[in-house]
Amino acid sequence: KSMVNDAGETFYAGASTKGVVFRLDFGKNDDGIAIDAFYDTPQITFGDTFFQKKMHEYLFDIDKNDGGVFRFGESKDGGEFTFKTISLDGTGRLLASIYDTRNFGKTFKYRIQNNDLDKDFIFNSMGIFYSNTQNRWETSSLVFSLAFLFS
């Protein structure tokens, strides 16, 4: 186990289990394996902790990259993430949206994820359209039915 720095530009390290030297902080893979890169937001209440929110649409501004895929995860009220994917094929910038008109919750957490092998991933921004329902009830089919009847 050792590390070497050549005048502050490049870092090298020796493997502890085999006679191999690795260049650190370089490249777009981990010894030929895709790097699972993601960012999780904290739980977001949108300024109203105790009331249900209805998510309408998610907007994304991402740089395109042929063969790339963007994964968007959503967790509501502390639950597991559910994922949707957006193809990044092409060049330039991609303005994409995901409509989510049946999703209610009090808190939301989001995951921005990409694990494409040897691909750049440039995420520029995200927007969220939502509305407060003024309901404190737990999410149920009754809440969904009432929300659609009065919206």
Side-chain angles (χ1 to χ4, degrees):
K1 298 180 199 176
S2 62
M3 295 185 76
V4 176
N5 179 349
D6 68 350
E9 296 295 320
T10 309
F11 292 101
Y12 297 95
S16 63
T17 58
K18 53 187 173 181
V20 177
V21 175
F22 293 102
R23 182 174 179 185
L24 303 178
D25 297 331
F26 178 80
K28 299 175 186 172
N29 64 60
D30 183 12
D31 201 19
I33 299 171
I35 298 169
D36 188 20
F38 63 90
Y39 170 75
D40 286 350
T41 68
Q43 291 286 340
I44 301 172
T45 65
F46 297 95
D48 205 349
T49 303
F50 300 104
F51 291 94
Q52 296 275 341
K53 273 70 72 180
K54 178 182 177 185
M55 296 296 122
H56 299 283
E57 184 179 8
Y58 299 106
L59 304 169
F60 306 100
D61 178 0
I62 309 166
D63 285 6
K64 293 179 181 179
N65 192 341
D66 276 333
V69 175
F70 162 59
R71 292 186 73 211
F72 174 68
E74 176 188 59
S75 165
K76 65 179 182 180
D77 299 330
E80 295 293 319
F81 281 105
T82 57
F83 288 93
K84 296 184 180 172
T85 60
I86 296 175
S87 170
L88 301 178
D89 279 338
T91 58
R93 286 176 92 157
L94 173 67
L95 301 177
S97 63
I98 295 175
Y99 295 95
D100 199 3
T101 58
R102 294 185 178 203
N103 204 358
F104 291 82
K106 292 179 183 173
T107 63
F108 291 85
K109 183 176 183 174
Y110 302 104
R111 177 171 288 177
I112 308 303
Q113 184 175 23
N114 177 270
N115 57 3
D116 294 326
L117 180 63
D118 294 332
K119 298 282 183 188
D120 288 328
F121 178 66
I122 300 173
F123 184 88
N124 299 306
S125 64
M126 175 181 167
I128 302 172
F129 285 108
Y130 73 96
S131 58
N132 286 321
T133 66
Q134 298 306 311
N135 272 334
R136 292 184 303 158
W137 303 331
E138 294 302 316
T139 304
S140 68
S141 58
L142 174 64
V143 173
F144 284 104
S145 299
L146 290 174
F148 286 117
L149 288 174
F150 296 110
S151 58

